[in-house]
Amino acid sequence: KDVALEGLVRLTTVDTLAARIVTPALVALQAKHPGIVVELVPDTRSLSLSKREADIALRMSRFEGNEVAARRVGALAMGLYASADMARRVGEGQVRLVTVLDDQAHLPEAKWLRDAFPDAPMVFRSNSREVQVHATLAGAGVAALARYRADREPGLVRLFPDKPDLVRDIWIGIHVDMRHMPRVRAVTEAVVDSLRKNTAILNPGC
């Protein structure tokens, strides 16, 4: 079965990409190759490829270690967003922040948000970017969100649109022992193709 286009493939990625970019690509692939079974694991943790916790990983940071074959496959632009009411309060100096939990405080978007509003209280925390979108829509505060997701929300206002976006690279990694398996290659190619087709959406500046 390892040489056939069938069998299980486990892919992990961040929820920012899982639902709207990765899922449609995998469903389209399964329409052509129904024998491929996909387990998609949106997770804030970096599941280990070397420990076989996943076959493929799509991440916003470089991979480490010689057991992983990795390459950069795209870029994600992020902006600062607020509800219309919160945007007015930003102009009045009454800023509140929607951000990540402490275990992700090192991420570039978390630091970017803090640097933009160093004195603002962090009042709502979640590692789910979808939860952050809805918290921002509800008026909880200002958040750093993926532009391709937040720009589609008429209830959100992008702050400082004349300033450069924060851009994060997207990397895909596969355990070296599995990269030549047809089902793993098929899933990898489907995901990479979807990212390339959505380049102008993921990173509007390119």
Side-chain angles (χ1 to χ4, degrees):
K1 288 189 175 181
D2 284 346
V3 297
L5 282 170
E6 60 182 30
L8 177 66
V9 179
R10 185 176 173 86
L11 187 153
T12 181
T13 188
V14 292
D15 66 345
T16 306
L17 301 172
R20 295 171 182 262
I21 300 297
V22 176
T23 295
L26 297 182
V27 172
L29 174 66
Q30 288 181 313
K32 297 178 182 178
H33 304 291
I36 295 178
V37 178
V38 175
E39 289 186 357
L40 179 58
V41 187
D43 206 313
T44 56
R45 298 171 300 132
S46 296
L47 299 187
S48 173
L49 296 177
S50 61
K51 295 179 181 178
R52 304 301 174 86
E53 293 178 337
D55 303 316
I56 305 168
L58 193 65
R59 295 180 183 166
M60 310 297 295
S61 59
R62 287 177 178 268
F63 290 81
E64 297 179 357
N66 297 326
E67 297 177 327
V68 178
R71 55 184 164 133
R72 180 186 176 279
V73 290
L76 179 75
M78 306 191 73
L80 300 176
Y81 292 85
S83 65
D85 178 66
M86 181 57 64
R88 286 192 293 270
R89 293 169 64 182
V90 169
E92 298 169 358
Q94 302 176 25
V95 186
R96 295 155 61 89
L97 302 183
V98 175
T99 188
V100 295
L101 300 177
D102 287 341
D103 65 329
Q104 291 194 352
H106 63 283
L107 294 179
E109 59 266 32
K111 293 180 179 180
W112 187 49
L113 178 65
R114 168 50 65 203
D115 289 345
F117 302 102
D119 299 321
M122 294 179 283
V123 300
F124 194 105
R125 297 173 184 260
S126 175
N127 283 351
S128 167
R129 297 331 188 249
E130 195 63 20
V131 169
Q132 288 185 16
V133 168
H134 287 278
T136 308
L137 278 167
V142 178
L145 304 172
R147 282 197 56 192
Y148 92 93
R149 175 67 180 88
D151 283 350
R152 299 179 181 184
E153 293 289 349
L156 292 181
V157 176
R158 183 158 68 99
L159 306 177
F160 319 123
D162 295 333
K163 293 186 178 181
D165 296 326
L166 173 70
V167 179
R168 296 197 60 189
D169 289 338
I170 303 171
W171 295 78
I172 198 164
I174 312 163
H175 193 283
V176 292
D177 292 343
M178 303 193 71
R179 59 180 171 171
H180 296 303
M181 289 183 180
R183 67 178 185 272
V184 173
R185 290 180 61 183
V187 170
T188 302
E189 290 168 5
V191 171
V192 171
D193 185 57
S194 180
L195 287 165
R196 288 174 176 166
K197 287 179 179 177
N198 285 286
T199 296
I201 297 173
L202 293 172
N203 186 7
C206 66

